[in-house]
Every structure is written in structure tokens, then in C-alpha cells.
Amino acid sequence: MLHFSRIDLSCDPLAGRYVKEETVSVAFAREAGELISLEGPNRYAPGDAIITGSTGSRWVVSHDRFVLKYDPVAPLQAGKDGAYRAKPVPVFARQIHEPFSIARSAGGDVLQGKAQDWLLQYAPGDYGLAENQRFVQVYRRLPESDGV
């Protein structure tokens, strides 16, 4: 199994820039806990977003990152449980053709990818992954001329 550490997809010729086009269902954690996603453990703290995607996948986003990545769907007020739409924030992504793992962040939860899953880089040192079928359904490649 490959293990990635401190990889920079912005310099990787096999990576591209993508945006997520998805409306998700969100419940904000009222206490600390752990959700086991398809990719591994996702620990959360009070106020973090527990997300169910349009394909049924579940994962956690910290409160600070959530407000930068999602907008409430009207008439929902920000911070309330309900439907949120992903902001068109570009990410770097690369399909990996063998099983792999990566820490979400330094010292963070370790995610496990299967062959053909996608490694995502949101910012330097900030990673995620998406199952191939889900990635194809919710991500759109950006033209090369679009800035990040």
C-alpha cells in the first residue's frame, strides 16, 4: 500500500484542478465523537459539521473549514442543520491506481483509499479522498486557464 506524506498535488503533472458541485445534508455536532467513513475514522468536536453527501457518503468537516467551503440553501440560516451547497472552491485531485493512505492533516486521522480512488488536496498539508464513483458524480474539472 502506498502512503502519501506531505505530497503537493499543485506540482504533480498527473493532478488536475476540480470543483465540487453538490448539495449536502448537514448536522452540527453537539458533542465530540467519531464517525467511521468509507475512508476511515473522522473525529469531530462540538460545532463540527457531520455531512451526508448526495451519494450517501458521510464525513466530517471542522467548523472553521466548513464555513469556508459551504453555503446554506435558502431559506436555511447559516449554522442550522439542513441543506448546504458546496462553494466552487478549487481543489487539486489525482486518481491513484493502487491502495493508498494519507493523514488528513499533520497528526490527523489517517484515511485509506482503494485503487482508483482520488486523492484531494484542499491546501498545503490539508488532504482528503473520494471514492472514484462519487468523485465522477460530484466533481468537475476546471479548464487549465482558471486560476486557483
Side-chain angles (χ1 to χ4, degrees):
M1 173 182 285
L2 290 176
H3 178 73
F4 292 105
S5 177
R6 298 183 185 207
I7 188 170
D8 184 358
L9 294 180
S10 70
C11 300
D12 188 329
L14 299 177
R17 290 175 306 112
Y18 294 80
V19 291
K20 183 190 296 187
E21 296 179 336
E22 180 178 39
T23 298
V24 298
S25 178
V26 176
F28 291 96
R30 292 173 183 33
E31 57 188 42
E34 181 177 81
L35 175 147
I36 303 299
S37 71
L38 293 173
E39 295 82 21
N42 286 226
R43 290 173 284 180
Y44 54 86
D48 288 352
I50 301 170
I51 299 174
T52 302
S54 60
T55 60
S57 296
R58 296 185 73 215
W59 67 96
V60 174
V61 176
S62 69
H63 182 268
D64 293 342
R65 288 181 59 226
F66 180 82
V67 297
L68 299 173
K69 297 174 72 169
Y70 293 90
D71 287 322
V73 174
L76 185 69
Q77 294 180 353
K80 302 289 185 186
D81 293 357
Y84 285 76
R85 179 93 180 136
K87 293 179 181 182
V89 177
V91 301
F92 288 99
R94 176 182 168 187
Q95 189 173 36
I96 308 298
H97 300 288
E98 60 185 281
F100 67 98
S101 66
I102 190 162
R104 292 175 75 174
S105 60
D109 298 326
V110 175
L111 304 176
Q112 306 289 324
K114 299 181 301 298
Q116 310 312 317
D117 286 352
W118 290 77
L119 173 59
L120 308 173
Q121 182 178 357
Y122 306 110
D126 185 9
Y127 305 100
L129 60 94
E131 187 178 39
N132 183 51
Q133 182 177 357
R134 176 177 161 64
F135 185 88
V136 170
Q137 290 177 332
V138 301
Y139 283 86
R140 175 180 57 83
R141 188 171 182 134
L142 292 173
E144 293 302 318
S145 62
D146 287 356
V148 174

